Amino acid sequence: MRSYSPDLTPPWKRRAPVPEVPAEPDLVVEEVSTGFCGAVTGCEAGTVTLEDRFGKHRVFPMEPAGFLLEGRTVTLVRPSSGAPARPARTASGSVAVPGARARVARAGRIYVEGRHDAELVERVWGDDLRIEGVVVEYLEGVDDLPAIVESFGPGPDARLGVLVDHLVTGSKESRIAGSVTDPHVLVVGHPYIDVWEAVKPSSVGIPAWPSVPRGQDWKKGVCRALGWPENTGAAWQHILSKVHSYKDLEPALLGRVEELIDFVTEPGG
């Protein structure tokens, strides 16, 4: 007879069980050994097929603890045969339109402050913007916003939406935004010093965005505080690579971008 050996490992040293998640269509996961991130497009014979945002497909074995879902380790399992397939969704959470072609660009535009803002908006809302025919451009700062608005010449059929960083009461940005009163222009903003902060710390794998003393370059200060090389371009690419959907962004940014898209795509816009 086999003797029973109790598990004497203290509870605080025992590993928490890894949850099992059905590999349903459109589920976005990251394969732990390669870092390949994509949406589930198929599941059979113990393997799962993922498609990244560039349309590249890769097949992986569904090994225990083999994937990350929103930063948590999970084990993918074959979904039950009776489970209905979920509708495919874009990174912004909108229902995807299979085979939809990009609309001819509208006269209206969305302006953001800089290249990083534009890349983040494209990362999450790119599919939606192409279907709606909305072009995103960047300003490289808001100091010249009134002159840019005047040059753009907004109207009922050419609305202009502007996303401003650090739009808080009493800031320089708020004073400039307040000077724009054209009814065909909507200026909104988020409270973050830089759009980096609009990415959830948990998605980047840090406990919080560090506080940088006033007077220091904020991005370089963040890199120093986190022990990253002071290469802000490389740091941003690392941050951006961790953004897979709207779930990786703070609500304060999500709501503002959705508001701007609605504004410039209203009937007649």
Side-chain angles (χ1 to χ4, degrees):
M1 174 183 274
R2 179 178 297 177
S3 61
Y4 171 71
S5 299
D7 184 359
L8 300 179
T9 305
W12 59 88
K13 289 188 177 181
R14 295 175 189 169
R15 290 186 177 181
V18 176
E20 293 186 346
V21 177
E24 298 178 351
D26 191 41
L27 182 72
V28 177
V29 294
E30 179 180 338
E31 202 276 329
V32 295
S33 64
T34 63
F36 186 90
C37 181
V40 173
T41 60
C43 177
E44 58 183 348
T47 64
V48 63
T49 302
L50 304 182
E51 179 183 3
D52 70 8
R53 69 188 189 96
F54 301 107
K56 182 179 180 180
H57 291 77
R58 289 189 63 176
V59 179
F60 298 99
M62 292 194 295
E63 296 180 346
F67 298 86
L68 295 177
L69 175 62
E70 297 178 9
R72 297 184 302 115
T73 302
V74 299
T75 296
L76 290 186
V77 297
R78 188 180 181 88
S80 60
S81 58
R86 298 185 303 166
R89 294 185 178 275
T90 66
S92 71
S94 302
V95 175
V97 182
R101 295 183 178 180
R103 175 174 171 164
V104 175
R106 296 172 182 265
R109 293 286 188 274
I110 290 177
Y111 282 177
V112 297
E113 281 207 49
R115 181 171 59 84
H116 293 180
D117 306 68
E119 289 176 345
L120 188 61
V121 170
E122 163 61 26
R123 182 88 166 188
V124 176
W125 289 274
D127 291 338
D128 307 62
L129 293 169
R130 280 183 283 278
I131 289 176
E132 294 291 351
V134 178
V135 175
V136 175
E137 301 181 7
Y138 56 91
L139 305 169
E140 290 293 359
V142 296
D143 291 349
D144 298 324
L145 181 59
I148 291 172
V149 170
E150 183 178 1
S151 176
F152 181 83
D157 297 318
R159 293 190 179 96
L160 178 61
V162 183
L163 180 69
V164 177
D165 295 343
H166 198 226
L167 190 61
V168 295
T169 302
S171 67
K172 175 193 74 172
E173 291 81 2
S174 68
R175 292 192 294 273
I176 294 173
S179 68
V180 178
T181 58
D182 191 300
H184 305 298
V185 179
L186 176 64
V187 182
V188 300
H190 57 73
Y192 309 113
I193 295 175
D194 190 274
V195 77
W196 289 19
E197 282 190 295
V199 180
K200 291 181 178 178
S202 58
S203 296
V204 184
I206 58 177
W209 288 105
S211 177
V212 177
R214 185 183 296 273
Q216 290 188 20
D217 182 281
W218 188 84
K219 291 177 180 177
K220 290 184 178 179
V222 166
C223 291
R224 284 193 294 270
L226 294 176
W228 296 350
E230 290 185 33
N231 182 333
T232 57
W236 169 243
Q237 290 307 312
H238 170 71
I239 295 166
L240 187 62
S241 73
K242 302 301 181 181
V243 177
H244 307 303
S245 77
Y246 71 96
K247 296 178 182 180
D248 296 307
L249 303 182
E250 298 287 359
L253 176 68
L254 292 173
R256 302 295 74 74
V257 176
E258 297 285 353
E259 189 177 354
L260 291 176
I261 294 174
D262 289 344
F263 180 76
V264 300
T265 57
E266 287 177 3

